[in-house]
Amino acid sequence: MQTHNLGYPRIGSDRELKKACESYWAGKISIHDLVKVGKTIRNQNWETQKNLGMDWIPSNDFSFYDHVLDTSLMLGAIPKRYNKILENQSNSELDLYFAMARGVQKDGIDVRAMEMTKWFNTNYHYIVPEFEENQKFSFFSTKIVDEFLEAKNAGINAKPVIIGPVSYLLLGKEVDKSFNKIDLIKNLLPVYIEILNKLKEAGVEWIQFDEPFLVMDLEPKAKEALRYVYNEIDKQFPSIKKMIATYFGSIGDNLELAYSLPVQALHIDCVHGFKQLDGALELAPKEMILSLGVVDGRNIWKNDFDKSLDVIQKAVTKIGEDKIFIAPSCSLIHTPVDLDLETDEKTLTPEIKDWLSFAKQKVEEIATIKALAIGSNDSEILDKKERNSNSIKNRKESVLTHNKEVRQRMEQLQSISDKRISAFSERKKKQLEALQLPLYATTTIGSFPQTKEVRSWRSKNKKGIISDSEYQKLLEEETQRAIRIQEEIGLDVLVHGEFERNDMVEYFGEQLEGITFSKKGWVQSYGSRCVKPPIIFGDVYRPEPMTVEWTSYAQSLTDKPVKGMLTGPVTILQWSFVRDDQPRRDTCYQIALAIRDEVHDLEEAGINLIQIDEPAIREGLPLRKNDWQDYLQWAIKAFRISSCGVKDETQIHTHMCYSEFNDMIQEIADMDADVITIECSRSNMDLLEVFSKFKYPNDIGPGVYDIHSPRVPTQEEMVFLLKKAKESIPVEQLWVNPDCGLKTRGWDETKKALEYMVAAALQMRQEV
């Protein structure tokens, strides 16, 4: 029996990578300094896992931005528009890489970024590979070989991690629809063969091929591609031990396919696909190792050793101890780095902290579970088991997890209306009369730039350097400034800017009971963007209004309408570490009731536009379509519970981003938001096709510029996108807005981009 890990957080224990990347982009440090930070993080990660007793440690799990983008660069899948970057001899490979991720607009070069979307059903965003018909691939970046050798030279038993060729193709998009991306497999495989040759020369023993699409519904072509790929790899590399890793769900009807592939090990997720164990053991080939993902790689609750040992014992009985690996369910990039860094007992109380486990602790859990499974009598190991049992028992019995009033309200849920008073067509008439907005009404998604000054005020206030009243005054001044800027630019619907907020989920979590936080529990969302997810440990409720004061203050500064800005229940759920002792549905309904109370208070305060953001509603879909109906039923109901207790004149907005809507367009319509804003610019409005075919009945604001890139698009670009939008959506239904919130951008680029956006809207109005 051996242990291994599928991946370790790459951001550093204090977000060193974020700080280094942003300093490099700002020209404050050299590429040499950036590379040095990356190497330090890698070596620290390897050493940590080695010291904790991991038998096989992943390499190539580190990334400066995104592991899918790393794979595209490795395979030479570089869109032609980046040739200008390549031609400039002063640009490094990393400059090309960051241009693909973020776009670039300097030195006469103006190139947009590649599209970005969610990694399966997580809040991690990856850069979508772009494929042309008969796409050519080549071994461009040698990162995977370099980092294996780096680990080997450091005395690490390294197992390189690589996205499997079939999953890589399925993660990408065809630039045009004239071909099927899976047909590129014969162009792609020779490059994988070349990479494996280099790894073989470097002395590799195990390679981990991530093929997460094996837990999805697969087309026959994809299944055939899997057989073709791994048979060819096995023919050429019989001496290399190959593991196929699946995660986030059950392999299900793809199990026989997975077992038919000529590989030495198969990893299955025994946490999120716990029902698959019996079938996997029953059909397991005698010669194949089964890797059991028994420690949750996506949540932060301490592992229940007894449950994991039951799973392992069942496997040992069926296939033998020597045919078992123990691992986390998936890569640990979805968890914070180290619970030992949580030393502030006011933020995270000792009682709740005792229930938790971050990446470092999960690696230790895996090593301890192995020791227990093989019958260790070591006193330290037995002591860990006793402490684990006490932690699990204490959490189950804690009075912190249940609230009587919340439970009583949940029992009355059926009596709470989740429908608007009138149909949208009737509501729209009343809203048009009340709001007097023009065609192509302009707005933003909510947040405005959180400058260093704004962030420093928050930090100083928390440290007691500036008083609450001083902090309040500074925020009022910044809010007033944002309102004046929006008025000068000519936006039709304003926002207060959210300068008092740290994060769109964290801010609400801090004001809701049943939720706590960590100080250092950062997780990568995309690139250098890290979030600190709330920890939902108990029943959730709102003790007092959360946003009314700031929204009302902003509205008092202007005659133009100001939107109330809320985060929706599904997104708060999805972007938190959620309690696992009750159905996620019930937790979501509790949050929905809290948001409903806030919506009511905003309306009472005279706010007649209220945005309830749900960017994560698509992300929450189960990976198998057969499992969708139950999730969609309660997720849509949760949104409607939060949004439907208002008058017809009150306009409800929602926002979604980086999602494919084709398969759930009916449910989006069922949400019945008066206005939906969506990310559209990176896809050149392609996402609108489904809204057009469906004849989406409510208003829609397709994003006309990408806020995740520092480049400022021109007015002409935005007009082009709006004209494309007009081909799909009636003019009367169109709003004009950016793709997402502007929190991460600077004021100069924000003002310029919004000026162009308003000018584009005015131009479109003149052409009506």
Side-chain angles (χ1 to χ4, degrees):
M1 191 181 297
Q2 296 190 62
T3 58
H4 75 106
N5 187 17
L6 278 70
Y8 200 78
R10 67 205 32 161
I11 59 175
S13 58
D14 194 30
R15 293 180 295 160
E16 296 93 332
L17 185 64
K18 168 192 174 65
K19 297 165 187 174
C21 282
E22 292 178 357
S23 293
Y24 178 67
W25 298 335
K28 295 178 180 177
I29 66 171
S30 69
I31 194 164
H32 172 78
D33 295 330
L34 176 60
V35 169
K36 185 178 179 182
V37 170
K39 184 172 182 178
T40 299
I41 292 171
R42 287 194 298 274
N43 279 272
Q44 287 173 345
N45 289 351
W46 292 330
E47 196 65 26
T48 295
Q49 294 171 83
K50 179 181 178 181
N51 291 340
L52 290 172
M54 202 61 21
D55 294 319
W56 292 97
I57 296 168
S59 64
N60 199 44
D61 57 333
F62 173 82
S63 177
F64 279 105
Y65 201 96
D66 164 50
H67 57 277
V68 182
L69 181 60
D70 293 345
T71 309
S72 292
L73 199 69
M74 176 181 71
L75 299 170
I78 304 165
K80 292 176 182 175
R81 63 181 178 276
Y82 299 104
N83 286 347
K84 292 178 182 178
I85 312 293
L86 285 167
E87 290 164 4
N88 188 335
Q89 298 296 315
S90 65
N91 286 325
S92 67
E93 185 178 292
L94 270 178
D95 291 322
L96 167 65
Y97 174 82
F98 288 136
M100 293 165 71
R102 307 174 68 241
V104 65
Q105 193 173 47
K106 67 176 184 179
D107 300 331
I109 296 175
D110 188 355
V111 186
R112 63 181 175 85
M114 295 171 70
E115 193 173 336
M116 184 163 63
T117 196
K118 294 294 180 70
W119 176 251
F120 297 89
N121 55 356
T122 75
N123 187 33
Y124 178 81
H125 303 65
Y126 74 90
I127 303 296
V128 180
E130 296 178 18
F131 303 132
E132 296 181 346
E133 190 170 10
N134 201 30
Q135 172 86 38
K136 298 293 187 289
F137 299 95
S138 63
F139 188 17
F140 183 84
S141 170
T142 60
K143 172 181 178 293
I144 187 171
V145 179
D146 299 339
E147 291 185 8
F148 171 73
L149 289 170
E150 185 181 320
K152 184 179 177 182
N153 293 334
I156 301 297
N157 229 12
K159 167 175 55 73
V161 177
I162 186 171
I163 297 174
V166 177
S167 287
Y168 174 71
L169 290 177
L170 292 173
L171 288 165
K173 60 176 283 188
E174 300 96 338
V175 174
D176 61 67
K177 305 300 181 183
S178 62
F179 70 102
N180 186 331
K181 55 195 176 185
I182 284 294
D183 292 336
L184 298 173
I185 195 66
K186 291 190 177 179
N187 290 9
L188 179 62
L189 183 57
V191 185
Y192 271 81
I193 297 295
E194 186 178 353
I195 293 164
L196 293 174
N197 262 316
K198 295 292 184 186
L199 287 169
K200 181 182 177 183
E201 291 171 6
V204 74
E205 184 175 345
W206 275 100
I207 296 180
Q208 175 185 316
F209 292 91
D210 282 7
E211 291 283 9
F213 276 91
L214 276 166
V215 305
M216 307 275 285
D217 299 311
L218 286 176
E219 296 293 332
K221 267 194 171 187
K223 294 181 179 181
E224 188 54 42
L226 281 161
R227 293 187 189 97
Y228 165 70
V229 161
Y230 289 100
N231 277 302
E232 289 298 313
I233 287 175
D234 185 58
K235 284 178 190 175
Q236 299 206 36
F237 303 99
S239 63
I240 294 178
K241 295 176 184 175
K242 299 164 283 290
M243 173 185 291
I244 286 181
T246 66
Y247 35 81
F248 302 153
S250 294
I251 299 179
D253 59 357
N254 293 323
L255 182 60
E256 289 189 19
L257 167 63
Y259 275 154
S260 73
L261 302 176
V263 297
Q264 284 65 51
L266 175 68
H267 173 81
I268 62 171
D269 184 336
C270 295
V271 177
H272 301 94
F274 62 94
K275 292 180 181 179
Q276 68 183 321
L277 179 63
D278 288 343
L281 292 173
E282 190 65 35
L283 297 177
K286 290 182 179 179
E287 67 280 2
M288 189 178 288
I289 290 169
L290 192 60
S291 169
L292 304 175
V294 293
V295 172
D296 194 345
R298 290 184 58 173
N299 215 329
I300 43 72
W301 304 108
K302 186 171 287 187
N303 180 268
D304 185 334
F305 286 174
D306 288 334
K307 287 184 178 179
S308 293
L309 290 169
D310 286 346
V311 168
I312 293 165
Q313 184 55 52
K314 180 185 283 191
V316 168
T317 302
K318 190 71 177 179
I319 64 175
E321 187 178 289
D322 61 326
K323 290 294 186 289
I324 294 170
F325 276 19
I326 303 173
S329 60
C330 61
S331 169
L332 298 176
I333 65 168
H334 308 288
T335 62
V337 179
D338 186 1
L339 186 64
D340 291 341
L341 300 176
E342 300 300 325
T343 57
D344 186 338
E345 295 186 356
K346 290 182 180 179
T347 303
L348 189 62
T349 65
E351 181 177 4
I352 296 175
K353 181 180 175 181
D354 184 55
W355 304 342
L356 307 183
S357 175
F358 291 178
K360 179 184 173 185
Q361 288 69 40
K362 289 178 184 295
V363 171
E364 184 176 6
E365 285 177 340
I366 293 162
T368 303
I369 290 168
K370 172 191 168 180
L372 291 168
I374 62 176
S376 172
N377 289 315
D378 182 274
S379 60
E380 186 178 346
I381 296 296
L382 295 176
D383 181 58
K384 286 181 180 180
K385 186 177 188 304
E386 184 178 358
R387 283 189 277 120
N388 178 267
S389 297
N390 289 336
S391 296
I392 301 301
K393 181 175 180 285
N394 292 340
R395 183 181 168 209
K396 283 180 180 177
E397 297 175 352
S398 175
V399 297
L400 295 178
T401 60
H402 290 72
N403 179 278
K404 183 179 178 181
E405 288 75 19
V406 174
R407 296 293 167 127
Q408 289 174 343
R409 197 175 184 191
M410 287 288 287
E411 289 174 3
Q412 301 164 1
L413 200 61
Q414 296 305 319
S415 64
I416 297 174
S417 174
D418 65 343
K419 293 180 174 60
R420 296 292 295 270
I421 298 168
S422 305
F424 172 70
S425 57
E426 292 299 312
R427 301 198 307 266
K428 183 163 182 174
K429 292 175 187 175
K430 295 177 182 179
Q431 291 166 14
L432 284 171
E433 183 177 347
L435 298 171
Q436 295 293 304
L437 295 173
L439 290 174
Y440 294 105
T442 57
T443 188
T444 64
I445 303 304
S447 58
F448 271 111
Q450 290 228 348
T451 60
K452 285 183 178 178
E453 288 77 17
V454 171
R455 296 196 301 274
S456 73
W457 301 338
R458 184 181 303 125
S459 176
K460 289 175 182 177
N461 178 245
K462 285 183 177 180
K463 293 174 182 176
I465 298 172
I466 60 174
S467 67
D468 289 347
S469 59
E470 289 174 300
Y471 182 50
Q472 176 95 358
K473 186 173 185 298
L474 289 167
L475 291 178
E476 286 176 355
E477 291 171 354
E478 193 71 6
T479 302
Q480 184 170 359
R481 176 176 173 239
I483 293 292
R484 297 293 167 252
I485 288 172
Q486 291 173 83
E487 288 177 328
E488 290 166 10
I489 290 170
L491 288 162
D492 300 305
V493 174
L494 313 188
V495 295
H496 78 283
E498 304 179 16
F499 304 108
E500 78 285 3
R501 304 186 187 184
N502 40 21
D503 174 81
M504 65 179 290
V505 172
E506 186 176 359
Y507 178 75
F508 290 94
E510 287 176 338
Q511 300 182 78
L512 294 169
E513 293 296 325
I515 300 178
T516 191
F517 287 87
S518 60
K519 279 282 190 183
K520 301 283 188 178
W522 297 100
V523 177
Q524 185 183 27
S525 177
Y526 67 87
S528 67
R529 169 74 169 147
C530 298
V531 295
K532 192 148 50 71
I535 299 167
I536 304 177
F537 66 87
D539 291 336
V540 178
Y541 64 96
R542 186 198 73 146
E544 59 186 14
M546 302 180 286
T547 67
V548 175
E549 179 183 354
W550 282 110
T551 309
S552 298
Y553 173 71
Q555 186 63 80
S556 73
L557 300 173
T558 181
D559 293 330
K560 289 192 170 186
V562 175
K563 280 191 292 188
M565 299 301 306
L566 306 174
T567 302
V570 180
T571 297
I572 291 176
L573 182 87
Q574 284 295 126
W575 292 0
S576 298
F577 293 123
V578 184
R579 62 189 298 185
D580 58 358
D581 59 345
Q582 71 176 18
R584 290 172 67 87
R585 173 200 63 215
D586 293 353
T587 304
C588 196
Y589 285 160
Q590 291 177 2
I591 301 168
L593 290 170
I595 300 300
R596 182 185 181 94
D597 294 342
E598 188 72 14
V599 168
H600 178 265
D601 285 347
L602 282 167
E603 187 180 56
E604 285 290 304
I607 305 302
N608 52 15
L609 292 95
I610 302 171
Q611 182 169 309
I612 307 172
D613 289 338
E614 284 291 19
I617 206 159
R618 173 66 174 81
E619 167 192 318
L621 272 176
L623 298 177
R624 296 280 188 155
K625 288 188 178 181
N626 286 343
D627 301 325
W628 283 12
Q629 188 173 3
D630 178 64
Y631 163 76
L632 287 170
Q633 186 175 13
W634 62 255
I636 302 307
K637 182 176 180 178
F639 177 83
R640 291 173 67 113
I641 287 170
S642 71
S643 64
C644 285
V646 294
K647 299 177 293 188
D648 284 348
E649 290 81 2
T650 298
Q651 190 174 76
I652 297 292
H653 292 230
T654 190
H655 173 67
M656 300 180 187
C657 56
Y658 301 109
S659 295
E660 295 292 339
F661 300 115
N662 303 49
D663 296 318
M664 58 172 292
I665 187 66
Q666 178 62 61
E667 286 75 17
I668 291 174
D670 290 344
M671 292 171 70
D672 201 23
D674 298 303
V675 183
I676 179 175
T677 53
I678 60 173
E679 177 273 327
C680 262
S681 67
R682 285 199 183 200
S683 65
N684 279 316
M685 295 289 167
D686 289 347
L687 287 175
L688 284 185
E689 184 179 346
V690 64
F691 287 87
S692 173
K693 288 180 179 178
F694 179 75
K695 298 193 181 305
Y696 185 75
N698 299 15
D699 286 1
I700 183 165
V704 295
Y705 82 90
D706 173 24
I707 67 88
H708 293 93
S709 170
R711 71 178 294 272
V712 176
T714 63
Q715 177 181 332
E716 289 74 22
E717 286 179 65
M718 297 192 205
V719 168
F720 170 78
L721 290 176
L722 286 171
K723 287 182 176 179
K724 279 196 72 175
K726 189 176 73 168
E727 294 171 6
S728 300
I729 306 294
V731 169
E732 295 78 15
Q733 291 176 243
L734 282 172
W735 283 63
V736 182
N737 45 262
D739 272 345
C740 203
L742 297 159
K743 174 183 175 181
T744 59
R745 302 269 56 92
W747 269 114
D748 288 344
E749 63 188 90
T750 293
K751 286 191 282 189
K752 192 180 297 184
L754 290 178
E755 286 167 358
Y756 290 155
M757 188 186 84
V758 169
L762 291 172
Q763 183 176 332
M764 295 299 293
R765 288 174 199 163
Q766 293 167 1
E767 296 179 9
V768 172

